[in-house]
Structures are given as C-alpha cells and as structure tokens.
Amino acid sequence: MDPEKVNYHYCDDLPTRPETEGARILVTGANGYVAHRLIPELIFRGYRVRCMFRSRGNPAILNHPRIENVYADCLDSESLRPAMEGVDAAYYLIHSMRGKKKDFIGNDQRSAQNFVEVAKESGVKKIIYLGGLGELSGGMSQHLKSRKQVGDILAKGNMTVIRLRAAIILGTGSASYELLKSLVVNHRLIPFIREFNSWCQPIAIRDVIKYLVGVLEVPDLTSRIYQIGGRDKLLYKDLILQFARILGKRVRFVDVSWVPLPVEWLCRLYACWLHIFTAIPINITSLLLSSLKTDVVCHEQDIRTVLPFTPLDFNTAVVWAQEKEQQFRVFSHWTDVPPDRMSDLLPLCEFESANFVTDQHHRVIPAPASKVFELVCRIGGKHGWAHANLLWEIRGWIDRSIGGVGLQRGRRDENQLRLGDSVDFWRVEKLTPDRELLLRAEMISPGLSWLQFQLEPLNEMETRLVLTAHFIPKPFWGQLYWTTLSKFHTYIFEGMLQHFHRQATEETGGIVQIRAL
C-alpha cells in the first residue's frame, strides 16, 4: 500500500523542515498504532524509513521505494545490529504491555538496554522515545513506572535522547480511545472509586505525530524530557461524561469504594468484566485502569517554545475521530498487532505437518470472480458471518470467557480488507484480489486453524468458490475438538456458500437479464 494513500497529513503545517534530505530513520514497533501514523508522514517529508518488525509473521502494509523492512527483536542484541546499521535517528516505540505483568517490566528494561547499547555502537545520532506522563505523582502504576524506567535507560546513551511523555492518546483505533468508546457504548452504570478521579491531559494522535516529527527536525536539541498534552485538563469522571455526550450516550457512575478489596484487585476484576465487551486484552486494560489513580498532566509547556503550534482540545479530537470512523478512514488500529502467542507463527504455506486435517466445500456462484471476492471480503464485524451467526457468537463468547479475543475485535474497516487486518478472531494472512482470502485463527483452541476462500473463474459470469478449513490439532484434545465440531462445520460452511450464492444472484440478476436480452 502506498503510504500517501493512508497519510493524514498531520505535519503539513509543522513549522520545521527536514535537516538532511534522505536521512535514514529507524522506526521500531513498525506495525503498531503510532508507527502506522508516523511512517507515512516521514516518507512524505523525504526521509528513508527503515521499519523494524519483531516477527516475520507481522506483514508490512506499506510499500514505497524509500521504505525498507527489517526484522529484529530488542531482546536479541545480535538481531539489532544489522537493523541499526547506517541509521541517523531512531524512534523507540516498543513496550511489552501485552505480556504478563511479571514479564513486561523486565522485558521492557532488557529491550531498552540492548537497544541503546547497539545504537551507541552503530553511531545513531538521536533517539526519540514516546513514554507516559505521571512521573511526579506518588502512587505511580507499574505501567507508568516501567515507561519511565525505559526512558531513563535510553538516556544513558552518548547520543541525543528526546523523551516525549504523553497521557491518553485520542484517535481512531487507539487502545485508549477504543476502551473509552466501549465503556460508554456498552454501559449505563459505570463502577467508579474515588482514587480513580485523577487529572488527565489527553492528546490527539495528530499532535503526538507532529511532536514526534518536529523534535526530529529541530536542530541542536539536547537530551531532555518534554511533556506533551492536549489543550484540556480533565478529571477522569468529566472526561468520560464528555466523551459520552459527544457519542449521544447517557452514563451514570456507581461508587464501589466500599468493596473490601485492594484497588489493584478491583482494576483486575473490572478489566475482566470489560473484556466481555471489548477485545482489548485483559493485561492492557488492567494496566490502563491502574494508571487512572495517577495524575497525568503536563507541569511545564517547554515543548511549545520548540514547536509553537496549538494542540487540539478534547472535544475536537473526539469529534474528528468520530468523523474518520464514519468516513471509513481508519488506517491504523491497535489490533494491527497480533496477540503475543500468535505473532511468531509461520504462514500456512510454510507449515509441514503430517497432522493436517481439512474440511473442504465448494459451489459454483453465478457471478464474476470480482463480485464473489467482494462478497467474501464482507464477512465479520458488523456484517456477521453470512450463516449461523448465533453459532459464531457462541464460539466468540466461549473464546472471550477463556481469555481470547472473541468477536468484539471486529474489523478496522467494514468495507475493505488488507493484509494483516483483524477480522473478529481471525487475521488476514493472504489476500490476492479476485483469487484468494486466507484467514488465520487467533481464537484459543487446541490447535492451529485457517479458513481459506479460493476463487476459480469458470467464465465471465460463473465462479467456483472453494472454502477450506485447515487444522493442525494438538495431541488428543485437538483431535477431539475437531471431531466434535465437524458436523457444525459442515452446516456452517455449506450455509456460507449458499448465502454467497443467494447474495450474488440477487446483486447480479439484473446484469444477467440485460445480457440475455
């Protein structure tokens, strides 16, 4: 995909210009939410961008002559060395929130230590790190403490290290935005405790990107911390009420301070409850909730003297995000990063297993391949699953109840798919227009699953659609799981093919009649 097609042009009015034409910039966490917004801006401004991915299982969605993709893990110093070679500046956009609490702090620290050591060896001149506000508060959460420690480790290098610290980032598809939206859309009564009514200074994603690009381009900056925030400072309760008003929802708060449990336990319990309504993992939700008891506001505005522009207010940031959703202009989403347990999987074509089992069904559809492919690519999200939606919902609920992503993750765009997109508890592994759609399952199951749609044009108005379920079972439980569901699969898959046949007939019937005349 051409970066210009997904460029929001946040930086067009930025009062800075690139110092060195064609400088090579490393962007870590290149398949993450912030990176997907940052990379097109850097390309548009003439930089060569080296995108760093942790796993080859995370497909790059942007293609451009000045984009180079590399694969490296910050926990492995050796893999970092070729990624850092010839780099002028680097963005550090990595964190381990998806991991277990006992793991993410240690992983964050080791990653930062390895990164700064290799950057020093490689002659990187500048590192830009996006961390979190809240370091001046007493009861800082583990999440915010870890972000601060990472910044401190990076600052020990002998290059310029610019640390930007932000609170909630507002933008279509950000985890914080989606959590807020889920909260007000799915609840009328919201549990609340007084410790959570802290001050917050949310910032729009467009302003975050402008600051990230701006500090790269301002000459002669020295290593230091800059606090960045939007125009408004709000108590969390007022922030939620204002968000609800913009969405046309009414919510009320229920005080649960009387519950005889530590605040950390209450966060975890509420995160589990929210997991029913949102696909954001429990670990991330719990960490975000635990951060609410800390004031996260800017105590100085020095960044405004370096980059003199006025950030958006809260209302405008949310309204603009809503408009982009309505216009189907959501080009990056927090779900672009797969769950940790699925990120290192080989694609289906590279698996060699004697235990493969398949279930194949096919039907001739009275429509050209382009039309059939369009119908197939509508599945999931608000469109549903073409047939037996109740069974899909039950499977999604089971997945949610045992800690999986379920069906609530939906789709980034209800009308278009791209490589790497999440589709409920599936992810697009292969997408060949008018030929093939391959989905890899990210639900919790005793094995690995794929759902494959292959199209074979028979003539101008007929297409054979082949639907194949692939499964690699784990010993015993996987075989039992597959055998138990086999009859359900036949019912569901035959029904899906029948649905596509009926829909194609309805939508192309007029064309067929005209040609017959």
Side-chain angles (χ1 to χ4, degrees), residues 187-352:
H187 295 78
R188 295 296 173 265
L189 298 175
I190 298 177
F192 208 77
I193 56 178
R194 286 185 291 273
E195 288 87 345
F196 283 1
N197 203 23
S198 305
W199 287 94
C200 177
Q201 191 169 353
I203 182 170
I205 181 63
R206 68 170 49 238
D207 293 327
V208 173
I209 299 302
K210 289 170 78 170
Y211 284 130
L212 285 169
V213 174
V215 296
L216 172 69
E217 297 180 345
V218 173
D220 303 323
L221 275 185
T222 57
S223 296
R224 64 158 294 177
I225 297 168
Y226 289 103
Q227 299 178 1
I228 60 174
R231 202 182 305 173
D232 298 325
K233 297 180 182 179
L234 300 163
L235 289 169
Y236 279 113
K237 185 178 285 188
D238 296 331
L239 182 148
I240 294 169
L241 289 172
Q242 203 163 321
F243 195 97
R245 279 195 293 271
I246 295 171
L247 268 62
K249 303 291 183 180
R250 297 185 64 181
V251 297
R252 296 179 61 186
F253 295 96
V254 179
D255 192 345
V256 294
S257 301
W258 53 270
V259 177
L261 290 174
V263 171
E264 188 174 343
W265 291 15
L266 288 174
C267 285
R268 189 70 182 181
L269 285 173
Y270 196 46
C272 292
W273 169 253
L274 287 175
H275 188 66
I276 299 173
F277 303 98
T278 176
I280 299 173
I282 292 175
N283 288 339
I284 293 181
T285 304
S286 181
L287 288 169
L288 291 175
L289 289 175
S290 64
S291 300
L292 300 185
K293 62 181 185 289
T294 303
D295 287 337
V296 282
V297 296
C298 299
H299 295 278
E300 46 85 3
Q301 303 288 343
D302 292 355
I303 190 66
R304 305 244 182 126
T305 63
V306 177
L307 294 167
F309 68 86
T310 304
L312 296 183
D313 60 273
F314 177 80
N315 264 38
T316 303
V318 175
V319 169
W320 285 8
Q322 287 288 299
E323 289 175 355
K324 284 185 173 60
E325 286 185 333
Q326 294 164 5
Q327 297 164 2
F328 301 107
R329 296 182 62 221
V330 182
F331 300 140
S332 66
H333 199 273
W334 72 270
T335 58
D336 291 339
V337 182
D340 274 353
R341 60 187 172 81
M342 308 297 294
S343 60
D344 295 323
L345 283 184
L346 293 171
L348 176 64
C349 62
E350 294 184 23
F351 263 99
E352 296 181 4

Side-chain angles (χ1 to χ4, degrees), residues 2 11 31 34 75 113 204 234 252 304 329-330 346 360 363 394 403 413 418 422 424 426 446 513:
D2 184 350
C11 300
N31 62 334
V34 174
L75 294 173
Q113 188 64 50
L234 300 163
R252 296 179 61 186
R304 305 244 182 126
R329 296 182 62 221
V330 182
L346 293 171
Q360 189 172 94
R363 179 167 294 219
I394 292 172
D413 188 303
R418 71 183 182 203
S422 63
D424 293 330
W426 303 90
Q513 290 178 7

Side-chain angles (χ1 to χ4, degrees), residues 345-351 353 355-361 426 429-430 436-443 445-454 466-474 478 481-482 489 493:
L345 283 184
L346 293 171
L348 176 64
C349 62
E350 294 184 23
F351 263 99
S353 173
N355 297 321
F356 256 118
V357 290
T358 60
D359 184 8
Q360 189 172 94
H361 306 265
W426 303 90
E429 183 173 291
K430 186 177 181 181
E436 181 181 0
L437 171 64
L438 178 63
L439 303 176
R440 184 184 71 216
E442 292 183 342
M443 69 186 88
S445 71
L448 303 174
S449 306
W450 290 263
L451 191 61
Q452 184 179 35
F453 299 87
Q454 293 173 301
V466 181
L467 192 163
T468 308
H470 303 263
F471 188 63
I472 302 178
K474 293 181 180 177
Y481 172 84
W482 183 260
H489 285 166
F493 298 151

Side-chain angles (χ1 to χ4, degrees), residues 113-187:
Q113 188 64 50
N114 290 340
F115 188 85
V116 74
E117 287 176 0
V118 177
K120 181 179 178 180
E121 293 173 12
S122 304
V124 176
K125 300 180 182 67
K126 182 184 286 187
I127 293 177
I128 300 169
Y129 169 60
L130 180 61
L133 282 170
E135 71 277 7
L136 299 180
S137 302
M140 206 183 333
S141 69
Q142 293 297 315
H143 164 51
L144 293 178
K145 283 181 182 177
S146 179
R147 301 298 289 272
K148 179 182 181 299
Q149 289 165 355
V150 166
D152 292 342
I153 292 170
L154 294 174
K156 293 177 181 177
N158 62 350
M159 70 290 293
T160 300
V161 178
I162 305 298
R163 290 175 279 173
L164 300 181
R165 291 186 171 165
I168 290 175
I169 296 177
L170 295 171
T172 52
S174 76
S176 298
Y177 175 85
E178 293 298 326
L179 185 59
L180 273 171
K181 186 169 71 171
S182 176
L183 196 64
V184 302
V185 168
N186 296 303
H187 295 78

Side-chain angles (χ1 to χ4, degrees), residues 464-500:
R464 186 189 307 279
L465 176 59
V466 181
L467 192 163
T468 308
H470 303 263
F471 188 63
I472 302 178
K474 293 181 180 177
F476 183 71
W477 292 113
Q479 292 288 357
L480 179 62
Y481 172 84
W482 183 260
T483 302
T484 302
L485 293 182
S486 60
K487 291 189 180 298
F488 289 103
H489 285 166
T490 299
Y491 170 70
I492 291 170
F493 298 151
E494 286 291 338
M496 290 179 77
L497 293 174
Q498 175 61 30
H499 171 85
F500 294 137

